[in-house]
Amino acid sequence: MLAFLGNQRGNITIALALSIIGIMSGITMASIAFGDTMGTRFDFDAVQELHLLRSESARGQTFVEKMDYSGNRLALPVKLSTIVGSHNKTLYRMTTKIEKENISTGGGLYFASGYTIKSLVKANRGTSTIAAIGTRQSMVSKYAELGIRRNSFAGYHYFTDNETSMNGTPVYFYGSDQIYGKVHSNTDIHIKNVNGWPTFFDVVYTSGVIVPHNGTPDYNQVFRKKYFEHAGQLVFNPTATDARAHGQRINGSGYDPHKISFVTMTGPSFTSLIGTIVSVEIDTADVWTQYPPRAGNYRFKNRFVKVDTLWTPGQSGSVANGSAFVDHKLWIRGEVYGHQTWCSADTMYLVDDVYYRGTTRGQAPDDPARLNRTDMLGLISEKSIVIQYGYADSTGRHHPNCDGDAEGIFIYGALCALGDGGDDMHKDGVFTFEYQHPHPSTPAVRLGTNPYVWDNIDLHRYKYPQATSAPWPANIDYPWYNPLWPERFPYMERGKIHLYGSVAQRRRGYVHRGPSDPDYPNDDGVWDIPSDYCGGTSGLAITDPVLGFNSSGVNAPNTSGSGVGYDKDYHFDNRLSFGSPPDFPDVHIQGGLTPFESEAWLLKRPPSSF
């Protein structure tokens, strides 16, 4: 070895070897440094693109909200952003597409109308050292999809455009009211200390202020979350735009005020009858000073149009996972399966319970222990939604919604009464009940063994239609004000409204009233039904001057109370916070903003083409 080292050629060989080792080491170290640099820059790109991706998703959502976008597909203008560092300059290219689709919500259980915002961010090389050799783009790109869903009025436990009654008087939340979902009013909210103060367990918004009555409440106890006064007003469109545009037309099209669809839901399917209101003939009734029988002095002859409803078979089919639109009055009842919305251009009457196949009546559809994963109902009227007092058919009179505190009526679904009466607040859309001022009327009778039936007795005693000089008696029902007229013992208290859902309405509707209604008294006992003046105090007993028997308003069997109408047993369906029935009206803030909720932001592998 020493000889080799002493040899001149050996020294050169070693020098060359050392040079090669040095060069290779340098190349290796440079490669490692270059790789570290590139890795660092790739990491920097990845982090930067992630931030830009979030801003790009927000840009898409802001566009949809600000522009109140309702189209199916749109590509936003490409956005470029240059980031300059001490040793590099990188141009990031951001591409976003907006696509309309149903958004899976609540763990995939429900669906709501919404959009998916798809965004891709890539880096151009510029002067950056991070570029892949031979290309002008970074090897790093980021892609994400943001699901956003519209807020609908179904998501408010209570929404009211005007927090007063059809008579312009305040309607209050009382101590018995327990409200578990969001509340919004476009006017003042009135709370009253009657058997305590009401309790709101979710956020309360009012475009006016909170107005307490009967004292000063502990606001922290009344409003368990937060309340906001002077909030922005929500637009309450009087037209059910989406249901009209997408709903299946039931029993014809073209508005007809003399037509009724009587729909019975049977799970995913339905059957219907068509009722046509017709003027049969001009009828007459001789008026006597004593009747029955015809006795005393003859006074005059009443003339009136005899009206009847002719029923024929109607359309049947399925509305599961869709909506239906009825261009006239709608009577509805029955069992719901799937997601359904029923909408009427005229007043909607709840004939009997509306309930879910997947939930036992009296239980909550959002109970985690028995969560209803299939059924959701929307009921929309472009006028009002009314709990029907009763109906008559060939088998007699029926009061399915007047059957005790434990029964009453079960309503599962989101209710929306859109009607805008303009200057006539009595025509505004409300959720309410039929026949709010009951008085007795004289039923048909058979006297002695005489086979003749004396009917329409009150029409043979009093002037009809009434005249200023001959007003109708204050404590006897005006003909046909009671839809089952005449009734000797009409119902006053009718049980409870067991609501599992939400209510949105133009104006707060009455669901319970006092017999003489101190908030809107009718001390003179006049009859002006369109103006809600409906005779004297309800519930008074009268003795028939000829027949001798007593008549009066009475409570329905197994009910309690001293007023008229229903107690409230309202439960918010929390599933409506995440999903909405098909084509249910969306929330728009006054000024054009459409609020959306972000449902999920998912990072995904960038698509091969975008």
Side-chain angles (χ1 to χ4, degrees), residues 32-84:
I32 293 173
F34 180 71
D36 288 344
T37 300
M38 289 188 66
T40 300
R41 302 312 303 161
F42 285 152
D43 290 343
F44 176 83
D45 246 6
V47 172
Q48 189 63 53
E49 288 179 1
L50 189 63
H51 290 305
L52 293 173
L53 196 60
R54 287 186 180 276
S55 69
E56 194 63 8
S57 296
R59 179 169 74 115
Q61 179 170 347
T62 301
F63 174 86
V64 174
E65 292 179 338
K66 292 287 187 182
M67 300 302 294
D68 194 14
Y69 182 66
S70 59
N72 293 321
R73 187 174 291 105
L74 178 72
L76 295 185
V78 173
K79 183 178 179 182
L80 302 175
S81 180
T82 301
I83 307 295
V84 180

